[in-house]
Amino acid sequence: MAKILFVVSGADHWTLADGTAHPTGFWAEEAVAPYRAFADAGHEVVVATPGGVVPTVDRGSLAPEVNGGQEGADAVAAGLEAFEELRRPVALEEVDPDAYDAVFYPGGHGPMEDLAVDPVSGRLLARVLASGKPLGVVCHGPAALLAATGPDGASAFAGYRMTGFTNAEETQAGFADKAKWLLQDRLVALGADFQEGEPWAPFVITDRNLITGQNPASSTPLAAEMLNRLG
C-alpha cells in the first residue's frame, strides 16, 4: 500500500483583475476521481492544506452541466461525501514529503489564489520533483508550480513538458478577460514546454516523474498513470 499526499488549496475565493472575489476552491471531480482510483487500489490518502484549513469545494463543480448530467453530479457529490480525509486535513507546513510515495495536486481556481504564491508548497514540489516520486498535477493545480524555485532562483520546472488549463479553456469558461493572469502564460514564462490538447478533452503529459493533466476530464487518466508508476 502506498501513501499518497493530496495538496489542496485552502482558498475559498479567487481575486479577479478588478479586485472582486470570485467564490471558488478545489474542483470536485479533480479530487474525487483520483481519490476513488487510489482508494480502490488500496492506497492511503492524506490531505494537506495551507494552515490545515478544511478545503472549500467550488460549488460550480457540483452542477449537472459540468458533470455530464444529474447522474454524474450525484456521483461526484457522493464521492465527495465519501472522501472523509478532506474534512480532516493536516497542515501543509508540517508535512514531511519523504513520508509519502506520491503527491497529487487537484485544481479549481483556488490554487491561483494561494498555492501559486505559497513558498511551503513550492519547496515541497521541488523536493518531490527531485526525489523521482510520482508527482501528479491537474487543471489549475499547476499554478502551484509557479512557487517552486531551485537553489539558483530559477523555476524547478523549467524545461519540463507539461500541460494545464489552457488559455482557450479559460476563455470558453468566461474568465480569461477577468483574470489577473492566465495559467498557460505563466507556465510558458517560467520556461515550461507547455503542451495543449483539445479544449475539455482528456489530455495528460508525462515528463520524467511529473504527470500533468489539462482539465477536469484529465483527472481519471492522470490517476491511472500515477497508479502505473506506483506498481
Side-chain angles (χ1 to χ4, degrees):
M1 183 180 76
K3 193 174 181 181
I4 304 171
L5 180 69
F6 274 46
V7 180
V8 182
S9 170
D12 62 4
H13 69 279
W14 174 35
T15 306
L16 301 178
D18 65 0
T20 59
H22 172 70
T24 189
F26 69 90
W27 197 260
E29 180 184 359
E30 296 167 23
V32 167
Y35 173 76
R36 187 181 293 125
F38 298 145
D40 287 351
H43 300 309
E44 177 186 358
V45 169
V46 174
V47 172
T49 62
V53 302
V54 175
T56 299
V57 65
D58 187 317
R59 304 305 300 181
S61 68
L62 302 176
E65 54 266 30
V66 297
N67 288 294
Q70 190 60 52
E71 185 176 343
D74 291 345
V76 166
L80 205 57
E81 184 64 27
F83 194 167
E84 296 179 2
E85 292 85 349
L86 280 171
R87 296 187 282 279
R88 43 183 171 84
V90 300
L92 184 59
E93 296 80 1
E94 298 172 7
V95 166
D96 175 8
D98 294 338
Y100 297 89
D101 301 294
V103 175
F104 172 71
Y105 278 66
H109 280 116
M112 302 276 280
E113 184 73 21
D114 61 352
L115 297 179
V117 293
D118 189 314
V120 175
S121 172
R123 288 191 293 271
L124 182 145
L125 283 163
R127 280 182 63 181
V128 176
L129 187 69
S131 76
K133 295 176 183 178
L135 173 59
V137 195
V138 70
C139 202
H140 287 92
L145 309 188
L146 303 176
T149 54
D152 58 357
S155 171
F157 291 89
Y160 275 77
R161 293 175 66 245
M162 67 177 69
T163 190
F165 204 65
T166 63
N167 290 356
E169 287 167 324
E170 203 72 86
T171 298
Q172 291 176 23
F175 287 107
D177 60 349
K178 301 175 182 176
K180 289 182 179 179
W181 47 271
L182 298 178
L183 180 59
Q184 180 176 345
D185 292 347
R186 286 290 178 92
L187 293 174
V188 170
L190 67 76
D193 180 4
F194 191 90
Q195 308 287 310
E196 182 174 356
E198 289 297 316
W200 313 110
F203 187 67
V204 174
I205 291 289
T206 300
D207 187 348
R208 288 156 277 187
N209 59 317
L210 176 65
I211 308 158
T212 52
Q214 180 171 309
N215 45 38
S218 306
S219 303
T220 295
L222 186 152
E225 178 61 26
M226 290 185 70
L227 285 171
N228 288 340
R229 296 297 185 95
L230 289 168

